[in-house]
Amino acid sequence: MKNILITGGAGFIGSHVVRLFVNKYPEYNIINLDKLTYAGNLANLKDIENAPNYTFVKADICDFETMRELFQKYQLDGVIHLAAESHVDRSIKDPFTFAQTNVMGTLSLLQAAKEAWGNDYEGKRFYHISTDEVYGTLEFDGTFFTETTKYDPHSPYSASKASSDHFVRAFHDTYGMPTIVTNCSNNYGPYQFPEKLIPLFINNIRHGKPLPVYGKGENVRDWLYVVDHARAIDVIFHQGKIADTYNIGGFNEWKNIDLIKVIIKTVDKLLGNPEGHSVGLITYVTDRAGHDLRYAIDSNKLKEELGWEPSLQFEEGIEKTVRWYLDNQEWMDHITSGEYEKYYESMYENR
Ligand code: NAD
Ligand code: DAU
């Protein structure tokens, strides 16, 4: 493989994947396709934007004609598909955009790949990045999502991701396209859009703003450092079995309220505040509609078959993350000032 399309490369996870591939594989041409929605930010890729093996294309994956042209122009061998609408709260307010981008956009890419590749799939690969949310929710019973757990999505976001996963697998089963799907747990780390729990709370603590905890804060998420996700994507793209599925996660479950206390403690420590200084910012608010109780990924298959394991312990990862956001206030302020601030305030007030 030589010409690799990465979609959604200006987003949170995509930017880490693009960076890793551009730096590690000088022999590849990396084409980053992104529509630059509110979540896409080319500032996430400043350090590699002039690399000779990197090209940025601003386009919408739903635009089928443009996707067709792209496959012809760049003679693409591989696709790593991350472009999506990714925020559950937004999907509750506006499900249409999620069906459009996540379902129709994925289908448009698949169809463009099928037309370009014909029946000659030698050396080709279509790798779709999905989420553990498609599996639904778990009780507090020590069980995990495995690769054979039945799909049971609850939010418009997870329903749209589940649908796109089914389309990808259908293109393998129907047309023989060499596809792979992975389902990953919650990512954290630098460059995450500050509508998501961890960067939102770090930023709110810095500004002394309320920390809106949904419900009782008892929901559990399984957190993985984003660079470890990018490392897993690299391993799976190159060594994963065609038509297979891999779960990606760090066996790192946290009840929201406990995680929030770790964030508060770390931010206060790094800002030089006395311990407990920002605890009073915790504000319990109306729960998210259809809020899944617990996610927990069993990633043993990936470890046993492809030797991948997370490289970072959570304590180290969270401190690194908090430090990054505090050191990169300009990046954060650029996003949170102006239009986005107004949007966030109105979302917050109308919950
Ligand atoms: P993100 O919202 O930060 O980035 C999404 C990117 O996709 C943005 O750059 C945006 O501009 C681009 N995009 C959106 N619609 C587009 C369109 N129509 N055409 C072209 N580009 C478009 O998302 P993220 O958190 O980086 O997630 C990336 C992928 O990983 C998504 O598919 C998501 O479902 C999946 N995922 C995310 C997590 C997580 O914890 N964030 C976990 C598991 C899986
Ligand atoms: O599990 C993987 C998924 O993780 C990805 O597929 C999604 O793209 C990604 O957004 C993420 O979804 P979550 O809904 O789990 O992430 P979020 O950061 O929005 O919320 C994490 C938890 O924190 C969740 O239980 C809701 C809660 N929460 C979130 C926000 C934004 C709050 O209590 N308060 C908040 O303000």
Side-chain angles (χ1 to χ4, degrees):
M1 277 178 287
K2 178 129 177 52
N3 302 318
I4 315 293
L5 176 71
I6 300 178
T7 70
F12 166 47
I13 302 171
S15 64
H16 289 276
V17 177
V18 167
R19 177 174 297 100
L20 188 152
F21 273 68
V22 165
N23 289 331
K24 188 170 173 186
Y25 301 106
E27 70 277 24
Y28 290 173
N29 296 315
I30 303 300
I31 295 103
N32 170 16
L33 179 149
D34 200 296
K35 183 182 174 183
L36 300 182
T37 66
Y38 78 94
N41 185 356
L42 289 177
N44 297 357
L45 290 164
K46 270 252 158 295
D47 53 327
I48 55 104
E49 67 185 3
N50 295 319
N53 62 339
Y54 172 71
T55 306
F56 175 70
V57 178
K58 183 174 186 303
D60 185 338
I61 52 169
C62 302
D63 178 353
F64 179 53
E65 282 311 318
T66 303
M67 293 309 104
R68 271 175 148 166
E69 287 164 19
L70 203 81
F71 272 85
Q72 290 310 329
K73 179 170 178 189
Y74 292 103
Q75 294 293 299
L76 299 172
D77 305 301
V79 177
I80 304 178
H81 175 38
L82 295 110
E85 289 292 336
S86 68
H87 192 45
V88 174
D89 293 330
R90 285 184 189 251
S91 82
I92 294 167
K93 301 246 178 230
D94 174 23
F96 280 116
T97 308
F98 282 70
Q100 178 66 14
T101 289
N102 299 358
V103 185
M104 294 306 288
T106 300
L107 182 54
S108 149
L109 265 182
L110 284 163
Q111 185 70 9
K114 173 176 161 285
E115 282 189 13
W117 292 342
N119 286 325
D120 181 12
Y121 290 124
E122 187 60 36
K124 305 290 193 286
R125 188 159 290 203
F126 191 108
Y127 176 5
H128 175 64
I129 309 300
S130 192
T131 169
D132 59 1
E133 300 202 12
V134 297
Y135 296 127
T137 186
L138 297 165
E139 295 298 324
F140 293 122
D141 57 3
T143 55
F144 292 90
F145 296 134
T146 72
E147 286 81 359
T148 55
T149 301
K150 278 212 177 342
Y151 274 30
D152 182 23
H154 298 144
S155 72
Y157 163 69
S158 53
S160 69
K161 291 296 290 186
S163 171
S164 64
D165 296 6
H166 291 319
F167 268 109
V168 173
R169 295 191 176 108
F171 267 63
H172 171 267
D173 297 348
T174 309
Y175 308 114
M177 186 180 288
T179 59
I180 296 186
V181 177
T182 56
N183 300 83
C184 188
S185 63
N186 284 62
N187 285 214
Y188 71 99
Y191 301 114
Q192 186 166 32
F193 195 85
E195 63 193 345
K196 307 281 166 52
L197 180 77
I198 291 183
L200 172 69
F201 277 35
I202 294 171
N203 196 41
N204 282 9
I205 296 167
R206 178 165 78 90
H207 290 289
K209 285 185 172 175
L211 306 175
V213 180
Y214 297 170
K216 295 185 177 147
E218 283 177 348
N219 303 65
V220 168
R221 295 293 180 267
D222 180 357
W223 294 92
L224 179 69
Y225 192 63
V226 63
V227 175
D228 279 326
H229 188 188
R231 286 177 48 249
I233 289 172
D234 177 21
V235 171
I236 294 162
F237 182 67
H238 290 98
Q239 297 164 41
K241 231 168 50 217
I242 296 301
D244 218 341
T245 292
Y246 299 88
N247 279 354
I248 310 174
F251 291 104
N252 181 41
E253 289 179 56
W254 284 84
K255 198 181 267 197
N256 287 343
I257 192 65
D258 295 336
L259 172 69
I260 288 160
K261 287 178 183 162
V262 171
I263 298 169
I264 292 173
K265 195 171 168 188
T266 313
V267 178
D268 276 341
K269 183 180 87 176
L270 294 180
L271 287 178
N273 293 330
E275 190 163 343
H277 175 81
S278 302
V279 172
L281 296 175
I282 292 177
T283 309
Y284 290 93
V285 299
T286 315
D287 207 354
R288 174 184 276 173
H291 198 174
D292 286 335
L293 184 63
R294 172 175 168 254
Y295 301 147
I297 275 280
D298 178 345
S299 57
N300 276 320
K301 173 174 167 179
L302 179 56
K303 181 179 172 189
E304 282 156 20
E305 292 188 10
L306 303 181
W308 174 91
E309 278 187 278
S311 66
L312 217 59
Q313 291 298 312
F314 186 65
E315 291 65 25
E316 197 187 332
I318 202 75
E319 175 140 351
K320 209 169 156 158
T321 300
V322 170
R323 203 178 283 282
W324 188 88
Y325 285 102
L326 296 181
D327 287 348
N328 288 275
Q329 290 179 12
E330 211 177 302
W331 179 91
M332 180 65 91
D333 292 346
H334 186 71
I335 295 172
T336 53
S337 60
E339 281 310 303
Y340 177 68
E341 189 171 22
K342 279 187 238 150
Y343 172 84
Y344 178 73
E345 295 301 335
S346 82
M347 282 280 280
Y348 185 65
E349 277 155 22
N350 294 325
R351 294 198 74 253

